[in-house]
Amino acid sequence: MSFINYSSREINCKIVYYGPGLCGKTTNLHYIYKKTNPDSKGKMISLATETERTLFFDFLPLALGEIRGFKTRFHLYTVPGQVFYDASRKLILKGVDGLVFVADSQVERMEANVESVENLRINLAEQGYNLDAVPYVVQYNKRDLPNAVPVAEMKRALNPRGVPDFEAIASEGNGVFDTLKAIAKQVIMELKKGQEGG
Amino acid sequence: MIGSDLVMYDEEFKLIDAELQRLLSQSNAKVVFLVDKNGQLIAATGETENLDTTSLASLTAGNIAATGGMAKLLGEKEFSILFHEGQRDNIHISIIGQRVILVVIFDQRSSLGLVRLRVKKSAEILGTIFNQLLQKVETGKGPSKGADSPFAEITDEDIDKLFG
Ligand SMILES: Nc1nc2c(ncn2[C@@H]2O[C@H](COP(=O)(O)OP(=O)(O)O)[C@@H](O)[C@H]2O)c(=O)[nH]1
Ligand SMILES: [Mg+2]
Protein backbone atom coordinates (compact mmCIF):
# COMPACT_ATOMS: atom_id res chain seq x y z
CA MET A 1 0.00 0.00 0.00
CA SER A 2 1.94 2.98 -1.23
CA PHE A 3 1.58 6.46 0.18
CA ILE A 4 1.28 9.21 -2.42
CA ASN A 5 1.53 12.72 -1.08
CA TYR A 6 0.42 15.30 -3.63
CA SER A 7 1.15 18.09 -1.18
CA SER A 8 4.84 17.36 -0.60
CA ARG A 9 5.07 15.50 -3.94
CA GLU A 10 6.36 12.23 -2.53
CA ILE A 11 5.72 8.56 -3.17
CA ASN A 12 6.51 6.05 -0.42
CA CYS A 13 6.52 2.31 -1.04
CA LYS A 14 7.16 -0.64 1.23
CA ILE A 15 9.26 -3.61 0.11
CA VAL A 16 9.70 -6.69 2.29
CA TYR A 17 12.55 -9.22 2.05
CA TYR A 18 11.23 -12.63 3.03
CA GLY A 19 12.95 -16.00 3.37
CA PRO A 20 14.13 -18.67 5.81
CA GLY A 21 16.45 -17.85 8.71
CA LEU A 22 20.07 -17.04 7.72
CA CYS A 23 19.37 -16.95 3.97
CA GLY A 24 20.91 -13.47 3.71
CA LYS A 25 18.05 -10.96 3.98
CA THR A 26 19.83 -8.69 6.44
CA THR A 27 23.01 -9.03 4.36
CA ASN A 28 21.13 -7.67 1.31
CA LEU A 29 20.06 -4.59 3.26
CA HIS A 30 23.53 -4.07 4.72
CA TYR A 31 25.02 -4.09 1.26
CA ILE A 32 22.44 -1.64 -0.10
CA TYR A 33 23.09 0.59 2.89
CA LYS A 34 26.85 0.46 2.37
CA LYS A 35 26.65 1.29 -1.32
CA THR A 36 24.09 4.08 -1.22
CA ASN A 37 25.29 7.63 -0.92
CA PRO A 38 24.63 9.31 2.43
CA ASP A 39 22.02 11.82 1.26
CA SER A 40 19.75 9.18 -0.16
CA LYS A 41 19.54 6.87 2.81
CA GLY A 42 18.29 7.12 6.34
CA LYS A 43 19.63 5.17 9.27
CA MET A 44 19.41 1.41 9.03
CA ILE A 45 17.54 0.06 12.02
CA SER A 46 18.02 -3.54 13.10
CA LEU A 47 15.89 -4.95 15.86
CA ALA A 48 18.14 -7.93 16.48
CA THR A 49 19.09 -10.32 19.27
CA GLU A 50 22.55 -10.14 20.85
CA THR A 51 23.75 -12.70 18.33
CA GLU A 52 22.57 -10.50 15.43
CA ARG A 53 19.62 -12.67 14.52
CA THR A 54 16.74 -10.48 13.37
CA LEU A 55 14.22 -10.27 16.21
CA PHE A 56 11.48 -8.11 14.73
CA PHE A 57 12.68 -6.44 11.54
CA ASP A 58 15.45 -4.51 9.82
CA PHE A 59 14.42 -1.22 8.28
CA LEU A 60 16.22 0.84 5.65
CA PRO A 61 14.64 3.95 4.13
CA LEU A 62 15.98 4.80 0.67
CA ALA A 63 15.31 7.99 -1.26
CA LEU A 64 15.95 7.19 -4.88
CA GLY A 65 15.40 10.45 -6.72
CA GLU A 66 12.42 11.75 -8.63
CA ILE A 67 9.87 10.29 -10.99
CA ARG A 68 7.73 12.81 -12.83
CA GLY A 69 8.46 15.41 -10.18
CA PHE A 70 7.67 13.10 -7.27
CA LYS A 71 10.38 12.20 -4.74
CA THR A 72 10.43 8.42 -4.61
CA ARG A 73 11.14 6.64 -1.33
CA PHE A 74 11.40 2.94 -0.73
CA HIS A 75 11.16 1.52 2.75
CA LEU A 76 12.96 -1.81 2.84
CA TYR A 77 12.09 -4.28 5.58
CA THR A 78 13.31 -7.78 6.40
CA VAL A 79 11.42 -10.31 8.47
CA PRO A 80 12.85 -12.66 11.10
CA GLY A 81 13.19 -16.06 9.43
CA GLN A 82 12.90 -18.46 12.33
CA VAL A 83 9.68 -20.44 12.38
CA PHE A 84 8.64 -19.25 15.85
CA TYR A 85 8.59 -15.58 14.82
CA ASP A 86 5.55 -16.05 12.60
CA ALA A 87 3.46 -13.47 14.48
CA SER A 88 6.10 -10.82 13.83
CA ARG A 89 6.34 -11.75 10.16
CA LYS A 90 2.63 -11.22 9.69
CA LEU A 91 2.84 -7.74 11.17
CA ILE A 92 5.62 -6.69 8.85
CA LEU A 93 3.69 -7.82 5.77
CA LYS A 94 0.95 -5.29 6.51
CA GLY A 95 0.70 -2.77 3.72
CA VAL A 96 3.47 -4.33 1.64
CA ASP A 97 3.83 -3.12 -1.96
CA GLY A 98 6.43 -5.60 -3.18
CA LEU A 99 8.14 -8.79 -2.04
CA VAL A 100 11.62 -10.19 -2.48
CA PHE A 101 11.99 -13.86 -1.64
CA VAL A 102 15.60 -14.62 -0.70
CA ALA A 103 16.36 -18.33 -1.05
CA ASP A 104 19.38 -20.04 0.49
CA SER A 105 21.02 -22.07 -2.29
CA GLN A 106 22.56 -24.65 0.03
CA VAL A 107 21.07 -28.08 -0.57
CA GLU A 108 20.35 -28.64 3.12
CA ARG A 109 18.24 -25.44 3.15
CA MET A 110 15.95 -26.36 0.26
CA GLU A 111 13.25 -27.68 2.53
CA ALA A 112 13.41 -24.50 4.61
CA ASN A 113 13.10 -22.43 1.39
CA VAL A 114 10.01 -24.30 0.27
CA GLU A 115 8.42 -24.01 3.72
CA SER A 116 9.15 -20.30 3.81
CA VAL A 117 7.48 -19.64 0.44
CA GLU A 118 4.46 -21.56 1.65
CA ASN A 119 4.46 -19.55 4.86
CA LEU A 120 4.65 -16.34 2.82
CA ARG A 121 1.71 -17.43 0.70
CA ILE A 122 -0.39 -18.23 3.76
CA ASN A 123 0.49 -15.06 5.64
CA LEU A 124 -0.29 -12.93 2.60
CA ALA A 125 -3.57 -14.71 2.01
CA GLU A 126 -4.56 -14.00 5.61
CA GLN A 127 -4.43 -10.33 4.72
CA GLY A 128 -6.30 -10.82 1.49
CA TYR A 129 -3.27 -10.70 -0.82
CA ASN A 130 -2.41 -13.32 -3.42
CA LEU A 131 1.27 -14.14 -3.88
CA ASP A 132 0.58 -14.82 -7.56
CA ALA A 133 -0.70 -11.30 -8.09
CA VAL A 134 1.68 -9.05 -6.12
CA PRO A 135 4.95 -7.51 -7.30
CA TYR A 136 7.39 -10.29 -6.55
CA VAL A 137 10.99 -11.29 -7.35
CA VAL A 138 13.09 -14.25 -6.23
CA GLN A 139 16.78 -14.22 -5.35
CA TYR A 140 18.90 -17.39 -5.23
CA ASN A 141 21.53 -16.36 -2.71
CA LYS A 142 24.83 -17.91 -1.58
CA ARG A 143 25.76 -19.02 -5.09
CA ASP A 144 29.39 -19.07 -3.94
CA LEU A 145 28.93 -22.10 -1.73
CA PRO A 146 30.06 -25.51 -3.01
CA ASN A 147 26.83 -27.23 -1.98
CA ALA A 148 24.63 -24.84 -3.98
CA VAL A 149 21.66 -26.47 -5.73
CA PRO A 150 21.62 -25.91 -9.54
CA VAL A 151 19.59 -22.83 -10.45
CA ALA A 152 17.25 -24.74 -12.75
CA GLU A 153 16.24 -26.94 -9.86
CA MET A 154 15.69 -23.95 -7.56
CA LYS A 155 13.54 -22.27 -10.18
CA ARG A 156 11.37 -25.36 -10.41
CA ALA A 157 10.91 -25.59 -6.66
CA LEU A 158 10.62 -21.92 -5.79
CA ASN A 159 9.55 -19.96 -8.84
CA PRO A 160 6.89 -21.83 -10.77
CA ARG A 161 5.21 -18.53 -11.68
CA GLY A 162 8.39 -17.44 -13.46
CA VAL A 163 8.75 -14.02 -11.84
CA PRO A 164 12.04 -12.16 -12.38
CA ASP A 165 14.76 -14.05 -10.52
CA PHE A 166 18.43 -13.44 -9.80
CA GLU A 167 21.47 -15.34 -8.63
CA ALA A 168 23.28 -13.59 -5.82
CA ILE A 169 26.19 -13.61 -3.45
CA ALA A 170 24.79 -11.03 -1.07
CA SER A 171 27.85 -11.08 1.18
CA GLU A 172 29.85 -9.75 -1.78
CA GLY A 173 27.03 -7.68 -3.21
CA ASN A 174 26.55 -9.70 -6.40
CA GLY A 175 22.96 -9.56 -7.56
CA VAL A 176 21.80 -7.35 -4.71
CA PHE A 177 21.02 -4.23 -6.74
CA ASP A 178 19.64 -6.23 -9.69
CA THR A 179 17.14 -7.70 -7.27
CA LEU A 180 16.22 -4.34 -5.75
CA LYS A 181 15.89 -2.67 -9.13
CA ALA A 182 13.61 -5.42 -10.40
CA ILE A 183 11.22 -5.19 -7.47
CA ALA A 184 11.27 -1.37 -7.53
CA LYS A 185 10.33 -1.46 -11.17
CA GLN A 186 7.40 -3.79 -10.58
CA VAL A 187 6.14 -1.73 -7.66
CA ILE A 188 6.23 1.51 -9.64
CA MET A 189 4.58 -0.10 -12.66
CA GLU A 190 1.86 -1.35 -10.32
CA LEU A 191 1.38 2.19 -9.09
CA LYS A 192 0.89 3.29 -12.67
CA LYS A 193 -1.63 0.52 -13.28
CA GLY A 194 -3.50 1.34 -10.08
CA GLN A 195 -3.81 4.96 -11.11
CA GLU A 196 -5.00 4.11 -14.59
CA GLY A 197 -7.52 1.58 -13.37
CA GLY A 198 -9.01 3.84 -10.69
CA MET B 1 -3.36 -2.83 -6.10
CA ILE B 2 -2.62 -4.19 -2.64
CA GLY B 3 -5.18 -2.72 -0.30
CA SER B 4 -6.03 0.89 -0.97
CA ASP B 5 -3.21 3.34 -1.36
CA LEU B 6 -2.94 6.20 1.06
CA VAL B 7 -3.17 9.46 -0.83
CA MET B 8 -2.63 12.95 0.56
CA TYR B 9 -3.78 16.15 -1.09
CA ASP B 10 -2.69 19.71 -0.47
CA GLU B 11 -5.92 20.84 1.14
CA GLU B 12 -6.00 18.08 3.77
CA PHE B 13 -2.26 18.24 4.31
CA LYS B 14 -2.54 21.90 5.31
CA LEU B 15 -5.44 21.17 7.65
CA ILE B 16 -3.53 18.31 9.26
CA ASP B 17 -0.39 20.38 9.62
CA ALA B 18 -2.33 23.21 11.25
CA GLU B 19 -3.97 20.82 13.71
CA LEU B 20 -0.62 19.25 14.64
CA GLN B 21 0.82 22.70 15.28
CA ARG B 22 -2.13 23.61 17.45
CA LEU B 23 -1.72 20.41 19.43
CA LEU B 24 2.00 21.08 19.79
CA SER B 25 1.50 24.49 21.32
CA GLN B 26 -1.57 23.68 23.41
CA SER B 27 0.05 20.63 24.96
CA ASN B 28 3.48 22.25 25.42
CA ALA B 29 4.98 19.31 23.58
CA LYS B 30 8.39 19.08 21.88
CA VAL B 31 7.36 17.14 18.80
CA VAL B 32 4.07 15.96 17.31
CA PHE B 33 3.86 13.66 14.33
CA LEU B 34 1.46 11.46 12.38
CA VAL B 35 2.33 8.06 10.96
CA ASP B 36 0.27 5.64 8.95
CA LYS B 37 -0.01 2.11 10.32
CA ASN B 38 2.51 0.85 7.77
CA GLY B 39 5.21 3.10 9.14
CA GLN B 40 5.15 5.97 6.70
CA LEU B 41 5.47 9.45 8.12
CA ILE B 42 2.54 11.66 7.15
CA ALA B 43 3.40 14.95 8.86
CA ALA B 44 5.58 16.23 11.70
CA THR B 45 5.96 19.48 13.61
CA GLY B 46 8.03 20.85 16.48
CA GLU B 47 11.70 20.31 17.31
CA THR B 48 12.32 17.82 14.52
CA GLU B 49 15.73 19.07 13.29
CA ASN B 50 17.81 16.58 15.25
CA LEU B 51 15.26 13.84 15.22
CA ASP B 52 15.26 10.88 12.84
CA THR B 53 11.52 11.05 12.16
CA THR B 54 11.62 8.42 9.40
CA SER B 55 13.04 5.80 11.76
CA LEU B 56 10.74 6.92 14.56
CA ALA B 57 7.77 6.51 12.23
CA SER B 58 8.73 2.97 11.28
CA LEU B 59 9.38 1.95 14.90
CA THR B 60 6.13 3.55 16.05
CA ALA B 61 4.19 1.49 13.54
CA GLY B 62 6.12 -1.63 14.59
CA ASN B 63 5.29 -0.84 18.20
CA ILE B 64 1.57 -0.40 17.45
CA ALA B 65 1.57 -3.55 15.34
CA ALA B 66 3.23 -5.57 18.09
CA THR B 67 0.90 -4.34 20.83
CA GLY B 68 -2.02 -4.89 18.44
CA GLY B 69 -0.87 -8.50 18.14
CA MET B 70 -0.75 -8.76 21.92
CA ALA B 71 -4.23 -7.28 22.19
CA LYS B 72 -5.61 -9.89 19.83
CA LEU B 73 -4.12 -12.69 21.90
CA LEU B 74 -5.89 -11.25 24.93
CA GLY B 75 -9.16 -10.89 23.06
CA GLU B 76 -8.94 -7.09 22.98
CA LYS B 77 -9.62 -5.21 19.75
CA GLU B 78 -6.54 -3.04 20.15
CA PHE B 79 -4.69 -0.97 22.70
CA SER B 80 -5.54 2.46 21.44
CA ILE B 81 -3.13 4.40 23.66
CA LEU B 82 0.51 3.65 24.50
CA PHE B 83 2.70 5.65 26.82
CA HIS B 84 6.47 5.38 27.25
CA GLU B 85 8.10 7.25 30.10
CA GLY B 86 11.76 8.22 29.93
CA GLN B 87 14.19 10.10 32.18
CA ARG B 88 13.76 13.27 30.20
CA ASP B 89 11.31 12.69 27.36
CA ASN B 90 8.05 10.81 27.21
CA ILE B 91 6.13 9.48 24.24
CA HIS B 92 2.36 9.34 23.98
CA ILE B 93 1.03 7.24 21.09
CA SER B 94 -2.61 6.94 20.09
CA ILE B 95 -4.51 5.41 17.20
CA ILE B 96 -6.85 7.65 15.24
CA GLY B 97 -9.70 6.15 13.26
CA GLN B 98 -8.11 2.69 12.74
CA ARG B 99 -5.60 3.92 10.26
CA VAL B 100 -3.22 6.59 11.51
CA ILE B 101 -1.08 6.98 14.60
CA LEU B 102 -0.61 10.23 16.48
CA VAL B 103 2.65 10.61 18.42
CA VAL B 104 3.40 13.32 20.97
CA ILE B 105 6.86 13.68 22.50
CA PHE B 106 7.01 15.87 25.60
CA ASP B 107 9.21 16.63 28.60
CA GLN B 108 8.68 18.16 32.06
CA ARG B 109 7.31 21.36 30.55
CA SER B 110 4.12 19.40 29.96
CA SER B 111 2.36 16.51 31.68
CA LEU B 112 0.64 13.28 30.78
CA GLY B 113 -2.71 14.71 31.88
CA LEU B 114 -2.42 17.75 29.65
CA VAL B 115 -1.24 15.69 26.68
CA ARG B 116 -4.09 13.22 27.07
CA LEU B 117 -6.63 16.00 27.20
CA ARG B 118 -5.32 17.81 24.13
CA VAL B 119 -4.80 14.61 22.15
CA LYS B 120 -8.41 13.64 22.69
CA LYS B 121 -9.62 16.90 21.15
CA SER B 122 -7.17 16.75 18.25
CA ALA B 123 -7.98 13.11 17.55
CA GLU B 124 -11.56 14.07 16.74
CA ILE B 125 -10.50 16.85 14.41
CA LEU B 126 -7.85 14.74 12.68
CA GLY B 127 -10.34 11.89 12.36
CA THR B 128 -12.72 14.20 10.51
CA ILE B 129 -9.99 15.39 8.16
CA PHE B 130 -8.99 11.82 7.33
CA ASN B 131 -12.59 10.87 6.64
CA GLN B 132 -12.84 13.78 4.25
CA LEU B 133 -9.61 12.62 2.60
CA LEU B 134 -10.82 9.04 2.23
CA GLN B 135 -14.08 10.23 0.72
CA LYS B 136 -12.22 12.34 -1.77
CA VAL B 137 -10.07 9.39 -2.78
CA GLU B 138 -13.04 7.04 -3.06
CA THR B 139 -15.18 9.35 -5.10
CA GLY B 140 -12.24 10.16 -7.34
CA LYS B 141 -12.37 13.90 -6.74
CA GLY B 142 -8.63 14.17 -6.25
CA PRO B 143 -6.04 14.86 -8.93
CA SER B 144 -4.86 11.23 -9.03
CA LYS B 145 -7.56 10.01 -11.33
CA GLY B 146 -7.84 10.28 -15.05
CA ALA B 147 -5.39 11.37 -17.67
CA ASP B 148 -3.71 14.04 -15.56
CA SER B 149 -2.23 11.44 -13.20
CA PRO B 150 1.52 12.01 -12.99
CA PHE B 151 2.05 8.25 -13.02
CA ALA B 152 0.18 7.37 -16.17
CA GLU B 153 3.22 8.26 -18.24
CA ILE B 154 5.93 6.46 -16.29
CA THR B 155 8.38 4.61 -18.50
CA ASP B 156 11.08 2.00 -17.91
CA GLU B 157 13.70 4.72 -18.43
CA ASP B 158 12.21 6.81 -15.62
CA ILE B 159 12.72 3.89 -13.30
CA ASP B 160 16.23 3.10 -14.53
CA LYS B 161 17.19 6.71 -13.88
CA LEU B 162 16.28 6.30 -10.21
CA PHE B 163 19.24 4.03 -9.75
CA GLY B 164 21.66 6.39 -11.54
N1 LIG C 1 28.80 -17.69 1.73
C1 LIG C 1 27.82 -16.79 1.77
N2 LIG C 1 27.34 -16.37 2.96
C2 LIG C 1 26.35 -15.45 2.97
C3 LIG C 1 25.81 -14.91 1.77
N3 LIG C 1 24.85 -14.03 2.11
C4 LIG C 1 24.80 -14.00 3.46
N4 LIG C 1 25.69 -14.86 3.99
C5 LIG C 1 25.95 -15.16 5.41
O1 LIG C 1 24.83 -15.84 5.95
C6 LIG C 1 24.65 -15.51 7.32
C7 LIG C 1 23.22 -15.09 7.59
O2 LIG C 1 22.94 -13.89 6.89
P1 LIG C 1 21.79 -12.87 7.36
O3 LIG C 1 21.78 -11.78 6.36
O4 LIG C 1 21.97 -12.51 8.78
O5 LIG C 1 20.52 -13.79 7.21
P2 LIG C 1 18.98 -13.46 7.51
O6 LIG C 1 18.59 -14.32 8.65
O7 LIG C 1 18.26 -13.85 6.26
O8 LIG C 1 18.86 -11.99 7.81
C8 LIG C 1 25.67 -14.43 7.64
O9 LIG C 1 26.76 -15.01 8.28
C9 LIG C 1 26.05 -13.90 6.26
O10 LIG C 1 27.36 -13.40 6.23
C10 LIG C 1 26.35 -15.39 0.51
O11 LIG C 1 25.93 -14.98 -0.57
N5 LIG C 1 27.34 -16.32 0.58
MG1 LIG D 1 18.08 -11.02 9.44
Side-chain angles (χ1 to χ4, degrees):
Chain A
M1 196 192 77
S2 54
F3 172 30
I4 304 166
N5 190 333
Y6 284 90
S7 182
S8 56
R9 301 190 76 76
E10 288 175 6
I11 312 169
N12 290 283
C13 303
K14 176 171 178 177
I15 293 173
V16 174
Y17 284 68
Y18 214 90
L22 299 178
C23 66
K25 301 175 291 294
T26 300
T27 308
N28 264 271
L29 258 62
H30 271 301
Y31 186 80
I32 294 165
Y33 181 75
K34 209 170 66 188
K35 290 294 170 184
T36 309
N37 78 50
D39 352 316
S40 46
K41 68 188 174 196
K43 247 200 230 106
M44 176 158 168
I45 300 238
S46 285
L47 301 184
T49 64
E50 280 174 20
T51 53
E52 295 193 10
R53 300 296 303 270
T54 307
L55 178 64
F56 193 4
F57 57 78
D58 304 302
F59 169 66
L60 175 60
L62 276 186
L64 282 182
E66 293 195 355
I67 286 194
R68 305 276 150 172
F70 278 70
K71 274 177 254 153
T72 308
R73 291 220 178 82
F74 285 93
H75 290 178
L76 311 184
Y77 285 82
T78 72
V79 296
Q82 298 97 303
V83 174
F84 54 90
Y85 285 132
D86 203 37
S88 303
R89 272 194 297 280
K90 286 182 193 176
L91 299 176
I92 296 153
L93 283 176
K94 275 195 187 146
V96 65
D97 293 301
L99 285 151
V100 174
F101 185 83
V102 180
D104 191 326
S105 295
Q106 299 177 87
V107 63
E108 64 269 26
R109 296 299 285 159
M110 275 310 280
E111 207 179 310
N113 289 330
V114 171
E115 271 171 19
S116 183
V117 176
E118 267 318 298
N119 175 258
L120 170 59
R121 183 176 291 283
I122 291 166
N123 284 344
L124 277 178
E126 252 176 50
Q127 307 198 33
Y129 309 152
N130 176 359
L131 182 59
D132 296 327
V134 301
Y136 183 45
V137 305
V138 176
Q139 180 186 80
Y140 311 114
N141 190 32
K142 306 200 185 180
R143 295 312 298 168
D144 57 316
L145 294 177
N147 52 346
V149 173
V151 170
E153 199 174 309
M154 294 194 75
K155 273 181 197 278
R156 248 192 327 268
L158 302 170
N159 188 13
R161 181 183 147 199
V163 300
D165 51 4
F166 302 89
E167 296 182 41
I169 307 170
S171 46
E172 288 166 26
N174 300 10
V176 169
F177 275 94
D178 293 335
T179 306
L180 174 62
K181 219 164 158 170
I183 191 62
K185 201 171 223 170
Q186 279 191 44
V187 166
I188 293 170
M189 283 307 176
E190 199 62 41
L191 206 68
K192 172 176 166 175
K193 251 198 266 172
Q195 300 293 317
E196 282 165 354
Chain B
M1 73 119 294
I2 300 185
S4 61
D5 291 339
L6 181 58
V7 174
M8 178 65 65
Y9 301 118
D10 209 35
E11 186 190 352
E12 284 76 17
F13 191 74
K14 287 199 176 112
L15 291 173
I16 287 168
D17 194 52
E19 183 54 34
L20 293 190
Q21 283 186 35
R22 207 165 68 107
L23 175 59
L24 182 81
S25 76
Q26 289 195 341
S27 64
N28 269 335
K30 286 172 77 171
V31 177
V32 174
F33 61 94
L34 262 187
V35 185
D36 89 332
K37 275 197 172 175
N38 304 316
Q40 284 153 351
L41 185 69
I42 297 171
T45 185
E47 304 166 28
T48 54
E49 308 82 42
N50 297 313
L51 206 61
D52 183 352
T53 44
T54 307
S55 298
L56 266 175
S58 162
L59 290 171
T60 300
N63 199 338
I64 283 288
T67 44
M70 287 162 62
K72 248 197 206 155
L73 293 178
L74 295 181
E76 284 283 335
K77 200 167 131 270
E78 65 185 4
F79 294 119
S80 53
I81 293 177
L82 306 180
F83 177 59
H84 301 302
E85 189 176 306
Q87 292 261 326
R88 201 184 60 235
D89 291 334
N90 313 294
I91 301 190
H92 185 280
I93 302 174
S94 50
I95 301 175
I96 294 176
Q98 314 286 343
R99 178 139 194 197
V100 288
I101 305 167
L102 175 63
V103 181
V104 179
I105 302 177
F106 64 97
D107 59 18
Q108 82 289 343
R109 286 172 293 177
S110 181
S111 69
L112 179 57
L114 179 63
V115 169
R116 285 189 101 136
L117 186 74
R118 299 302 185 195
V119 160
K120 208 167 175 184
K121 185 92 178 77
S122 287
E124 276 173 35
I125 294 167
L126 290 168
T128 312
I129 301 170
F130 273 96
N131 281 342
Q132 174 185 326
L133 183 65
L134 283 179
Q135 241 169 27
K136 214 180 204 177
V137 174
E138 273 163 20
T139 55
K141 292 242 173 65
S144 80
K145 308 290 168 175
D148 57 341
S149 161
F151 308 113
E153 302 288 308
I154 290 177
T155 61
D156 276 12
E157 290 88 85
D158 286 331
I159 298 171
D160 286 334
K161 258 190 271 164
L162 280 182
F163 290 86

PDB file of all heavy atoms in Angstrom, chain B residues 61-72:
ATOM      1  N   ALA B  61       5.135   2.420  14.167  1.00  0.00           N
ATOM      2  CA  ALA B  61       4.191   1.488  13.543  1.00  0.00           C
ATOM      3  C   ALA B  61       4.470   0.058  14.000  1.00  0.00           C
ATOM      4  O   ALA B  61       3.539  -0.710  14.259  1.00  0.00           O
ATOM      5  CB  ALA B  61       4.269   1.600  12.024  1.00  0.00           C
ATOM      6  N   GLY B  62       5.753  -0.293  14.109  1.00  0.00           N
ATOM      7  CA  GLY B  62       6.115  -1.630  14.594  1.00  0.00           C
ATOM      8  C   GLY B  62       5.596  -1.849  16.005  1.00  0.00           C
ATOM      9  O   GLY B  62       5.076  -2.913  16.346  1.00  0.00           O
ATOM     10  N   ASN B  63       5.747  -0.812  16.818  1.00  0.00           N
ATOM     11  CA  ASN B  63       5.287  -0.839  18.195  1.00  0.00           C
ATOM     12  C   ASN B  63       3.770  -1.051  18.265  1.00  0.00           C
ATOM     13  O   ASN B  63       3.264  -1.910  18.991  1.00  0.00           O
ATOM     14  CB  ASN B  63       5.664   0.527  18.797  1.00  0.00           C
ATOM     15  CG  ASN B  63       5.680   0.532  20.302  1.00  0.00           C
ATOM     16  OD1 ASN B  63       5.052  -0.303  20.927  1.00  0.00           O
ATOM     17  ND2 ASN B  63       6.385   1.484  20.874  1.00  0.00           N
ATOM     18  N   ILE B  64       3.034  -0.273  17.488  1.00  0.00           N
ATOM     19  CA  ILE B  64       1.569  -0.402  17.449  1.00  0.00           C
ATOM     20  C   ILE B  64       1.170  -1.782  16.918  1.00  0.00           C
ATOM     21  O   ILE B  64       0.251  -2.430  17.440  1.00  0.00           O
ATOM     22  CB  ILE B  64       0.953   0.707  16.563  1.00  0.00           C
ATOM     23  CG1 ILE B  64       0.937   2.031  17.326  1.00  0.00           C
ATOM     24  CG2 ILE B  64      -0.454   0.351  16.117  1.00  0.00           C
ATOM     25  CD1 ILE B  64      -0.097   2.097  18.444  1.00  0.00           C
ATOM     26  N   ALA B  65       1.885  -2.235  15.896  1.00  0.00           N
ATOM     27  CA  ALA B  65       1.570  -3.550  15.336  1.00  0.00           C
ATOM     28  C   ALA B  65       1.797  -4.647  16.373  1.00  0.00           C
ATOM     29  O   ALA B  65       0.983  -5.553  16.539  1.00  0.00           O
ATOM     30  CB  ALA B  65       2.418  -3.805  14.091  1.00  0.00           C
ATOM     31  N   ALA B  66       2.915  -4.542  17.101  1.00  0.00           N
ATOM     32  CA  ALA B  66       3.231  -5.566  18.095  1.00  0.00           C
ATOM     33  C   ALA B  66       2.219  -5.555  19.236  1.00  0.00           C
ATOM     34  O   ALA B  66       1.724  -6.615  19.648  1.00  0.00           O
ATOM     35  CB  ALA B  66       4.646  -5.358  18.633  1.00  0.00           C
ATOM     36  N   THR B  67       1.876  -4.368  19.737  1.00  0.00           N
ATOM     37  CA  THR B  67       0.900  -4.340  20.830  1.00  0.00           C
ATOM     38  C   THR B  67      -0.490  -4.732  20.317  1.00  0.00           C
ATOM     39  O   THR B  67      -1.270  -5.314  21.059  1.00  0.00           O
ATOM     40  CB  THR B  67       0.822  -2.957  21.521  1.00  0.00           C
ATOM     41  OG1 THR B  67       0.802  -1.953  20.527  1.00  0.00           O
ATOM     42  CG2 THR B  67       1.994  -2.736  22.439  1.00  0.00           C
ATOM     43  N   GLY B  68      -0.762  -4.439  19.035  1.00  0.00           N
ATOM     44  CA  GLY B  68      -2.019  -4.886  18.445  1.00  0.00           C
ATOM     45  C   GLY B  68      -2.093  -6.411  18.420  1.00  0.00           C
ATOM     46  O   GLY B  68      -3.140  -7.000  18.693  1.00  0.00           O
ATOM     47  N   GLY B  69      -0.953  -7.034  18.109  1.00  0.00           N
ATOM     48  CA  GLY B  69      -0.875  -8.501  18.137  1.00  0.00           C
ATOM     49  C   GLY B  69      -1.115  -9.035  19.536  1.00  0.00           C
ATOM     50  O   GLY B  69      -1.808 -10.037  19.738  1.00  0.00           O
ATOM     51  N   MET B  70      -0.537  -8.350  20.525  1.00  0.00           N
ATOM     52  CA  MET B  70      -0.746  -8.764  21.922  1.00  0.00           C
ATOM     53  C   MET B  70      -2.217  -8.626  22.298  1.00  0.00           C
ATOM     54  O   MET B  70      -2.785  -9.494  22.959  1.00  0.00           O
ATOM     55  CB  MET B  70       0.116  -7.896  22.857  1.00  0.00           C
ATOM     56  CG  MET B  70       1.594  -8.217  22.796  1.00  0.00           C
ATOM     57  SD  MET B  70       2.634  -6.892  23.458  1.00  0.00           S
ATOM     58  CE  MET B  70       2.104  -6.823  25.136  1.00  0.00           C
ATOM     59  N   ALA B  71      -2.825  -7.519  21.865  1.00  0.00           N
ATOM     60  CA  ALA B  71      -4.233  -7.278  22.190  1.00  0.00           C
ATOM     61  C   ALA B  71      -5.109  -8.418  21.676  1.00  0.00           C
ATOM     62  O   ALA B  71      -5.969  -8.939  22.385  1.00  0.00           O
ATOM     63  CB  ALA B  71      -4.690  -5.940  21.579  1.00  0.00           C
ATOM     64  N   LYS B  72      -4.838  -8.812  20.438  1.00  0.00           N
ATOM     65  CA  LYS B  72      -5.612  -9.894  19.825  1.00  0.00           C
ATOM     66  C   LYS B  72      -5.518 -11.165  20.652  1.00  0.00           C
ATOM     67  O   LYS B  72      -6.511 -11.855  20.875  1.00  0.00           O
ATOM     68  CB  LYS B  72      -5.071 -10.170  18.427  1.00  0.00           C
ATOM     69  CG  LYS B  72      -6.035  -9.778  17.328  1.00  0.00           C
ATOM     70  CD  LYS B  72      -5.620 -10.451  16.031  1.00  0.00           C
ATOM     71  CE  LYS B  72      -6.103  -9.655  14.842  1.00  0.00           C
ATOM     72  NZ  LYS B  72      -5.260  -9.898  13.661  1.00  0.00           N
TER      73      LYS B  72
END
